[in-house]
Amino acid sequence: MNTSVPRRVTAVAALAALALGGLTGTGASARPAEAAGAAAAPDISLTAVKQHLTDLQSIATSNGGNRAHGRAGYKASIDFVKAKLDAAGYTTSLQTFTTSGATGYNLIADWPGGDPNQVLMSGSHLDSVTSGPGINDNGSGSAAILETALAVSRAGYQPSKHLRFAWWGAEELGLVGSKYYVNSLPTTERSKIKGYLNFDMIGSPNPGYFVYDDDPTIEKTFKDYYAGLGIQTEIETEGDGRSDHAPFKNVGVPVGGLFSGADYTKTSAQAQKWGGTAGQAFDRCYHSSCDTTANINDTALDRNSDAIAHAVWTLSAGSTTPPTGKVFENTADVSVPDNGAAVTSTVNVTGVTGNAPSNLAVGVDIVHTYRGDLVVDLVAPDGSVYSLSNRSGGSADNIVQTFTVNASSEVANGAWKLRVQDKASADTGYINAFKLTFP
Ligand code: TRP
Ligand code: ZN
Ligand code: CA
């Protein structure tokens, strides 16, 4: 029975129904991220978000009272956000464009890791109008996604999807920055964006709780979050084309977002369910000089910031526990020669689109009387080697363990090998099973 030929290879493809564009559904629970196995989003600190707003206010104040396209306050805002992201380990890039005779900037920040073929993007415009500092419009969205991005870094979060954040320039001149980004993106790159989340005005002083109505999975993720807090939401109807999600939606990217209201008037029915003042605009300082740090409702900003983190975590996590993924297993026994040559057990992965995930689960089951003899590697289809165990564990026996491997640079389909070599004489054993789980 000294065979290295797999006698049974099973592929269990219990593929979860992938909602539009590949965002995984979240189930009926009000707090889906806390379901088994998924990392829960952290609570976003209102104090931290408000500190970013104070800093943006200072930038406006020391630059003529605004942070508008083409003005010094805009570039200073970009530099401020970029420095924080660089320090947190993001890969940032500035995209420049020209409009109204001035250079504009988009800031793009990528969190390393995740499936490069499945991108979850979140964006907010960072420019203000010229008439004021733009703290609710749109320091609020900018600060909230900044703090969410920093929370990703602090948590060392390893999402299944690749996370990208964007701060757009010249939104107030007609979505110029976001249009430029979408138009410059090659079609193949566009199709990798499985969702775009937009946050423009989320701390309105007389707030409403509006959820964009586009992709059902994204919409449900936000609605479920608010339902869990016992807060009613309404569909955003104040103008579908009025912010930076529009260029994404126009090319078929699933979009979603949150909004707490601009110049429309809060009705008495809305004041009943949300509090605040009926007959008054959601934001009386919309596009005015009074859109300062005083023009923020802390409760709305806090809830919306937490909802953003919840959505970023939930929509990027992919499936959570093994039975929902694709499992490939080889249970043939492969004897490992004592102090001898390396042997392998192979599984053939088929039907998985694109690259392997950043959290490939590698199930190793080796029966052996002294694990300290063993060098154990995962070998990708192209021959890349990932070390799993290198003569570790001393005199303990057996290696029965699931290793998590960042295999996101490997094409998923093909022959993956578990390679085992026994490097010292006396103790012996065999590979009992080798299993790959694609979440
Ligand atoms: N984008 C608008 C601005 O910056 C604000 C706005 C009005 C808005 N209606 C909206 C944003 C609906 C999102 C959704 O001036
Ligand atoms: Zn805005
Ligand atoms: Ca040995």
Side-chain angles (χ1 to χ4, degrees):
M1 63 156 267
N2 189 6
T3 174
S4 62
V5 178
R7 70 171 178 247
R8 185 162 69 92
V9 178
T10 57
V12 182
L15 191 58
L18 293 180
L20 276 98
L23 289 167
T24 51
T26 57
S29 156
R31 296 294 190 91
E34 288 163 21
D43 182 84
I44 298 297
S45 155
L46 174 65
T47 307
V49 176
K50 289 189 75 179
Q51 183 59 52
H52 301 323
L53 292 181
T54 300
D55 291 338
L56 291 173
Q57 174 75 62
S58 303
I59 287 170
T61 303
S62 52
N63 286 284
N66 68 68
R67 301 180 302 101
H69 167 74
R71 310 293 182 94
Y74 182 68
K75 184 55 167 42
S77 300
I78 283 280
D79 293 344
F80 163 74
V81 175
K82 184 176 184 297
K84 297 221 176 266
L85 295 163
D86 286 337
Y90 279 80
T91 305
T92 60
S93 68
L94 273 189
Q95 184 179 46
T96 61
F97 54 88
T98 304
T99 193
S100 301
T103 302
Y105 304 89
N106 292 328
L107 172 63
I108 311 295
D110 284 274
W111 180 239
D115 182 348
N117 295 313
Q118 296 193 67
V119 178
L120 179 68
M121 193 165 180
S122 305
S124 293
H125 76 85
L126 187 57
D127 65 313
S128 72
V129 291
T130 52
S131 50
I135 296 305
N136 186 38
D137 181 16
N138 183 32
S140 62
S142 295
I145 68 167
L146 172 59
E147 192 54 29
T148 300
L150 299 179
V152 164
S153 167
R154 270 185 229 113
Y157 183 38
Q158 295 194 298
S160 296
K161 290 195 180 63
H162 178 79
L163 295 180
R164 183 175 301 153
F165 295 87
W167 287 261
W168 307 118
E171 187 271 353
E172 299 290 4
L173 303 182
L175 321 179
V176 178
S178 54
K179 280 180 185 166
Y180 184 82
Y181 176 83
V182 170
N183 289 336
S184 317
L185 210 56
T187 321
T188 50
E189 292 304 313
R190 267 183 207 168
S191 64
K192 292 176 185 171
I193 303 175
K194 303 306 179 191
Y196 172 75
L197 312 180
N198 194 65
F199 306 101
D200 182 0
M201 305 182 71
I202 59 162
S204 305
N206 185 25
Y209 293 90
F210 299 100
V211 177
Y212 296 10
D213 179 19
D214 183 61
D215 178 72
T217 300
I218 300 172
E219 185 181 333
K220 180 169 164 40
T221 303
F222 286 125
K223 283 182 173 170
D224 284 350
Y225 186 78
Y226 282 104
L229 298 180
I231 296 164
Q232 292 172 266
T233 58
E234 287 185 19
I235 297 305
E236 188 285 304
T237 54
E238 204 169 326
D240 234 3
R242 280 180 72 176
S243 193
D244 299 297
H245 55 295
F248 288 88
K249 184 178 162 110
N250 288 342
V251 298
V253 173
V255 306
L258 299 174
F259 178 54
S260 56
D263 45 356
Y264 282 26
T265 302
K266 185 179 270 188
T267 66
S268 47
Q270 288 171 329
Q272 295 243 301
K273 60 180 161 188
W274 293 326
T277 312
Q280 208 175 77
F282 295 103
D283 183 356
R284 287 194 291 177
C285 289
Y286 175 62
H287 285 187
S288 306
S289 58
C290 60
D291 187 8
T292 64
T293 47
N295 190 43
I296 289 289
N297 179 283
D298 285 358
T299 304
L301 183 65
D302 191 19
R303 288 171 175 166
N304 285 327
S305 299
D306 290 341
I308 292 169
H310 169 77
V312 167
W313 255 257
T314 305
L315 295 170
S316 66
S319 308
T320 55
T321 43
T324 62
K326 283 194 174 192
V327 180
F328 301 88
E329 185 170 25
N330 186 343
T331 56
D333 293 354
V334 180
S335 68
V336 181
D338 188 26
N339 197 15
V343 295
T344 61
S345 172
T346 302
V347 297
N348 290 302
V349 173
T350 56
V352 180
T353 311
N355 279 22
S358 60
N359 57 345
L360 180 64
V362 182
V364 174
D365 181 348
I366 300 170
V367 177
H368 199 275
T369 52
Y370 193 97
R371 61 175 282 165
D373 285 4
L374 299 176
V375 178
V376 183
D377 297 311
L378 174 71
V379 185
D382 71 352
S384 306
V385 176
Y386 296 83
S387 174
L388 302 177
S389 181
N390 191 347
R391 304 202 59 181
S392 68
S395 64
D397 57 11
N398 303 339
I399 302 181
V400 181
Q401 196 175 334
T402 299
F403 297 88
T404 302
V405 172
N406 182 349
S408 59
S409 65
E410 307 295 337
V411 172
N413 287 339
W416 293 76
K417 294 183 195 320
L418 180 71
R419 187 173 69 193
V420 181
Q421 186 169 18
D422 182 326
K423 299 262 224 180
S425 52
D427 289 280
T428 61
Y430 61 97
I431 302 173
N432 195 33
F434 165 41
K435 179 164 83 170
L436 293 180
T437 303
F438 289 74

